[in-house]
Amino acid sequence: MDLLDIRRIYVEPAAAELPRGKEILARFPDAERVEVESHHRIPELYGDETNVNRWVRIKREALVLGVKKTLTARPNGRSADFIAPSTANGCAMACAYCYVPRHKGYSNPITVFANIDKICAYVSRHAHKQGVKSTPNECDPAAWVYDIGENSDCSVDARLSDNVYDLVDLFRWLPNAKASFATKHVNRDLLDRDPQGRTRIRFSLMPQRDAKILDIRTSPIAERIAAIDDFVAAGYEVHVNFSPVVVRDGWLADWAELLDQLDAGVGPAAKKQLAAEVIFLTHNRDLHEVNLGWHPKAEELIWRPDLQQPKRSQNGSWNVRYRTGEKGRHVAALLDVIATRTPYLHVRYAF
């Protein structure tokens, strides 16, 4: 089944008039066009719980084309120094733990923002205002790192528009800044962009036993590992995300096996620059209810009241995470396995 088969494009009139909007519409000449007032407000896509029954179909067939109206770079401090303004939102993949559906409603197909020129200009101005990064931190010792894919997967976005390529080109020439994005999709077209070390790709990895249930419509774990050397050779900085880490019977043994696969699958150049982020699962009560309607098997893994405790999020919804105290022991146990199996792998942070 194709990851994308765009049959309907919901388009803001202002987006259709921009050069990038025209390019995207020309790529899908046979798609039905539905004019919308705002990419935020499309009742048949967002907030309709009946869409659970066609969750994946909407992701494959629908595309939203809009204009990003608010441009801000939010401080982050973990994966990146700043979260850059999004050039897309939503995803064609369907990972069971994804947080984006919590905010967008019962479906989250890709929204592409057509005002890429303004987004790039904003990022360039913001980076120049930062000046030289004088104090190294866990994001990067020398460059200000901008996450360019907080609410989407840039490897998939690049199959729909040139927005990601424009950002890779932009950061190539920013002397004090670096782009970064996490991905679960191998898009080898990105190998031709010559990023010159100024774009960091973080391949998300988890044991295949978990991925086959949770990472729906993504590239296989083995394919992601096999791509690492090629992306390093093409001039990307490549890190790995161990995310989300799911606690279950046999989980540490499966992570040890994954680390062995990673060690065997990458060469010296990749290992020399490889670093990792370790993020244990956080789930959400509302998303749990949605998932029961389309993928209940996933909930057997990630909804574990016997292991988890609730916590109210900043937006008022209820999240669940592994219990305090127990989680600390889980983190320490996995870090021990990483140190044993892949001692060269620097863990930037773990939580």
Side-chain angles (χ1 to χ4, degrees):
M1 183 180 295
D2 292 336
L3 185 62
L4 292 162
D5 180 18
I6 303 302
R7 301 186 180 187
R8 183 179 295 107
I9 302 177
Y10 299 87
V11 55
E12 291 180 354
E17 294 302 316
L18 292 171
R20 182 53 40 84
K22 292 178 180 178
E23 290 174 11
I24 294 170
L25 291 172
R27 289 190 182 195
F28 306 102
D30 298 328
E32 175 189 1
R33 298 184 189 180
V34 179
E35 185 174 306
V36 295
E37 181 180 349
S38 170
H39 66 86
H40 286 297
R41 296 187 295 274
I42 306 175
E44 63 191 85
L45 291 185
Y46 308 141
D48 183 356
E49 63 184 21
T50 62
N51 280 335
V52 170
N53 295 325
R54 54 195 189 104
W55 186 267
V56 171
R57 181 178 175 184
I58 290 174
K59 287 173 168 289
R60 184 173 65 251
E61 297 181 356
L63 174 65
V64 182
L65 184 58
V67 173
K68 181 74 172 176
K69 297 175 179 63
T70 302
L71 303 183
T72 59
R74 304 190 333 267
N76 180 249
R78 276 198 169 125
S79 288
D81 293 291
F82 301 100
I83 305 296
S86 300
T87 61
N89 187 298
C91 190
M93 298 181 288
C95 300
Y97 46 81
C98 180
Y99 68 87
V100 178
R102 306 178 203 169
H103 303 292
K104 292 186 73 173
Y106 289 88
S107 180
N108 65 327
I110 298 173
T111 297
V112 176
F113 298 121
N115 54 328
I116 182 62
D117 291 346
K118 287 189 175 180
I119 294 172
C120 285
Y122 174 87
V123 171
S124 181
R125 291 194 303 272
H126 189 277
H128 280 104
K129 287 180 181 178
Q130 305 312 307
V132 175
K133 188 176 190 178
S134 57
T135 304
N137 62 11
E138 66 182 17
C139 301
D140 193 87
W144 298 106
V145 180
Y146 288 77
D147 193 310
I148 62 173
E150 180 189 31
N151 293 316
S152 67
D153 189 303
C154 290
S155 297
V156 179
D157 298 342
R159 297 198 180 279
L160 291 168
S161 82
D162 288 345
N163 282 1
V164 175
Y165 297 128
D166 288 346
L167 286 167
V168 172
D169 292 345
L170 169 68
F171 278 92
R172 184 192 305 135
W173 304 114
L174 291 179
N176 66 334
K178 181 181 293 184
S180 178
F181 65 88
T183 184
K184 301 179 183 71
H185 178 70
V186 177
N187 181 352
R188 290 186 170 272
D189 292 341
L190 288 164
L191 294 170
D192 300 327
R193 292 316 289 193
D194 188 25
Q196 297 184 19
R198 308 308 295 179
T199 293
R200 173 187 296 164
I201 294 182
R202 291 140 39 219
F203 282 104
S204 295
L205 302 177
M206 65 172 63
Q208 182 58 35
R209 180 178 169 187
D210 294 331
K212 69 181 181 181
I213 298 174
L214 303 178
D215 273 7
I216 309 302
R217 311 187 81 230
T218 65
S219 297
I221 297 296
E223 184 179 347
R224 300 180 213 176
I225 293 174
I228 291 175
D229 278 355
D230 293 335
F231 276 84
V232 171
Y236 289 91
E237 182 180 38
V238 180
H239 288 185
V240 288
N241 269 7
F242 296 148
S243 170
V245 179
V246 176
V247 176
R248 53 165 173 77
D249 289 343
W251 70 282
L252 277 175
D254 284 351
W255 275 97
E257 181 180 347
L258 173 67
L259 290 163
D260 289 344
Q261 292 170 358
L262 177 63
D263 181 63
V266 300
K271 291 176 180 177
K272 185 177 181 180
Q273 54 86 74
L274 204 60
E277 303 168 18
V278 179
I279 306 171
F280 277 68
L281 173 73
T282 295
H283 198 21
N284 175 269
R285 185 176 64 183
D286 294 338
L287 182 58
H288 165 66
E289 296 297 329
V290 172
N291 285 349
L292 289 176
W294 78 279
H295 191 25
K297 188 175 182 180
E299 292 306 297
E300 297 175 10
L301 267 183
I302 59 179
W303 186 260
R304 293 288 306 274
D306 57 319
L307 301 176
Q308 296 163 334
Q309 64 185 30
K311 182 178 181 179
R312 180 79 73 172
S313 69
Q314 291 181 347
N315 65 8
S317 64
W318 281 104
N319 293 339
V320 293
R321 59 191 64 187
Y322 297 116
R323 291 176 183 167
T324 303
E326 289 297 320
K327 180 179 177 181
R329 285 187 281 274
H330 296 324
V331 171
L334 182 55
L335 291 179
D336 284 345
V337 175
I338 293 171
T340 300
R341 302 286 178 149
T342 50
Y344 50 84
L345 183 56
H346 169 61
V347 176
R348 293 176 49 226
Y349 64 88
F351 71 93

